[in-house]
Structures are given as C-alpha cells and as structure tokens.
Amino acid sequence: MSFYWVKTNSFIKRVFSKYCWDIPNNEKKIYLTFDDGPTPEITDWVLSELKKFDAKATFFCIGKNIKANLSLFEKLIKEGHSIGNHTMNHVNGWKSQTNDYIENVKNCAAVLEEEKKEKTLIFRPPYGKIKKEQSKILRNLGYKIIMWDVLSADFDQSITPEKCLENVTKNVKSGSVIVFHDSIKASQNLKFALPKTLHFLKENGFAFDIIH
C-alpha cells in the first residue's frame, strides 16, 4: 500500500493553504465525506446508516458512476446530502496533462449540472493528487478544492476494520473533514467502521454538517 497520512499534518495544511483541509468551528461540527460513488448496494447501505443517525454527508461523485446509477444519484440529492465533483473517470492529476484533467472535471461538471439543475463548485481530486496549475485553473473557475483532515483508510485492504475505525475516532476533532469511500474496494472496512463511527460521533456530542 502506498504511503498516506491518516491525520493531515499541520505543516501540509499551511503549505497548501489554498485547499480546504478542515472547517474550524465552535459547535463541534464535523464533515463526513464519501468518495467514488454512487455505487449500487454500497451507497444505498451508506444512506441507510446515515439516516439512522439523522446524519448528512458530502458525496464526491465520479461522473461515469452518476450516469450509470442515476436513480441512486437522485436519492442522494433527495435525502439532503451535498454533492461534489470527483472527475469523470477518477483521474490522477499527477499523471495527467493539465488540459486533459480540466476537461475531465468539466465533463463531470456537465453531468452534475444536468442532473442537479445547478452548478456544483466543490471538488476533490482523486487520490488527493493535483498539480499546481490544475488547481489554479479550477480555483479560477470558482471551485473550492476539498481535501481532508482525517482519512479512514477504508480503501486499504491491508488494514483491519478495527484499525479503520480507530483512524477516525482517535483523530477527529471539531471541524474535521473525514473521508470514507462508498466503493466495493472499501466495503469490508466501511461496513464495520461507519456504523461505529456514527455512534461514536453522536455519543461524543459531534454534529454532522455538509460542505457547500
């Protein structure tokens, strides 16, 4: 498994201060986010778990997954969750020409706008990998680039579900942007960690909010 930070280092947040890593507040609000959907069965299950705790979240969706699962995407909107752009095809910015990357984001934006009937101006780069020039162009187009404060690492099949849960509960604080994945790959860790995370957050007085 490649290297990643579970808790984003404060130095990184300062160096890349034009990105949103957390949303500080005095109300113990946290921001659950889910990447890579909508995915049949997995996203449905996530929605069911969120509903049990009256929790709202922000879903960073892949354009091709939206087109393949329109009714599921519509359910996300109907249930009051926020939607973000995650490119059309889960593109790695570090491995992409800037023009191609921007075009891929715009293609996803067109799908989002067609289905939501409004523009979506929050964006998360797949893998958290985006070049400086790509970021600059997107920010000039009005996008907020949303990274994260806490990574559950549910995608990492080499860690235990218990470790995935601990990654969140040991690192969350007021204002944390937390990443899970509504994907097949992450499902084993997700299905263990998400219900327990929701219970932990509720029990410890955290409130769920969405990113706009």
Side-chain angles (χ1 to χ4, degrees), residues 6-7 28 30 32 53 149-154 159-174 176-180 189-190 192-206 208:
V6 166
K7 179 73 172 178
K28 289 194 81 171
I30 56 88
L32 290 175
F53 291 86
D149 176 49
V150 178
L151 192 65
S152 70
D154 52 356
I159 70 168
T160 65
E162 289 81 6
K163 176 60 178 167
C164 178
L165 172 63
E166 184 182 289
N167 286 343
V168 180
T169 59
K170 292 284 176 70
N171 291 295
V172 65
K173 63 176 185 178
S174 179
S176 286
V177 174
I178 303 164
V179 180
F180 286 101
N189 285 335
L190 177 72
F192 176 87
L194 181 60
K196 291 178 171 57
T197 295
L198 289 165
H199 180 77
F200 172 88
L201 293 170
K202 201 84 167 178
E203 286 286 295
N204 286 275
F206 288 99
F208 305 99

Side-chain angles (χ1 to χ4, degrees), residues 57-75:
T58 303
F59 288 79
F60 288 91
C61 296
I62 296 171
K64 69 179 177 68
N65 287 350
I66 296 170
K67 291 183 80 170
N69 303 287
L70 282 177
S71 61
L72 189 50
F73 180 70
E74 288 163 5
K75 189 175 179 182

Side-chain angles (χ1 to χ4, degrees), residues 119-193:
K119 285 191 174 181
T120 298
L121 288 173
I122 55 172
F123 173 75
R124 175 173 285 153
Y127 315 101
K129 294 178 178 178
I130 185 170
K131 294 175 184 174
K132 186 176 180 180
E133 185 62 21
Q134 294 163 349
S135 160
K136 184 178 178 182
I137 291 169
L138 290 176
R139 286 184 288 107
N140 285 341
L141 290 170
Y143 282 93
K144 282 192 280 187
I145 297 175
I146 312 297
M147 294 299 204
W148 57 82
D149 176 49
V150 178
L151 192 65
S152 70
D154 52 356
F155 58 84
D156 186 349
Q157 295 171 319
S158 72
I159 70 168
T160 65
E162 289 81 6
K163 176 60 178 167
C164 178
L165 172 63
E166 184 182 289
N167 286 343
V168 180
T169 59
K170 292 284 176 70
N171 291 295
V172 65
K173 63 176 185 178
S174 179
S176 286
V177 174
I178 303 164
V179 180
F180 286 101
H181 293 78
D182 52 332
S183 67
I184 299 294
K185 182 180 178 182
S187 61
Q188 183 176 347
N189 285 335
L190 177 72
K191 287 189 172 182
F192 176 87

Side-chain angles (χ1 to χ4, degrees), residues 9-22:
N9 187 286
S10 59
F11 174 73
I12 294 296
K13 293 179 182 179
R14 288 196 302 272
V15 171
F16 296 98
S17 60
K18 290 184 171 68
Y19 302 160
C20 173
W21 299 94
D22 48 25

Side-chain angles (χ1 to χ4, degrees), residues 84-101:
N85 186 322
H86 201 46
T87 74
M88 193 69 187
N89 306 98
H90 204 258
V91 179
N92 184 330
W94 291 2
K95 296 179 178 179
S96 306
Q97 295 294 324
T98 292
N99 287 344
D100 294 340
Y101 189 79

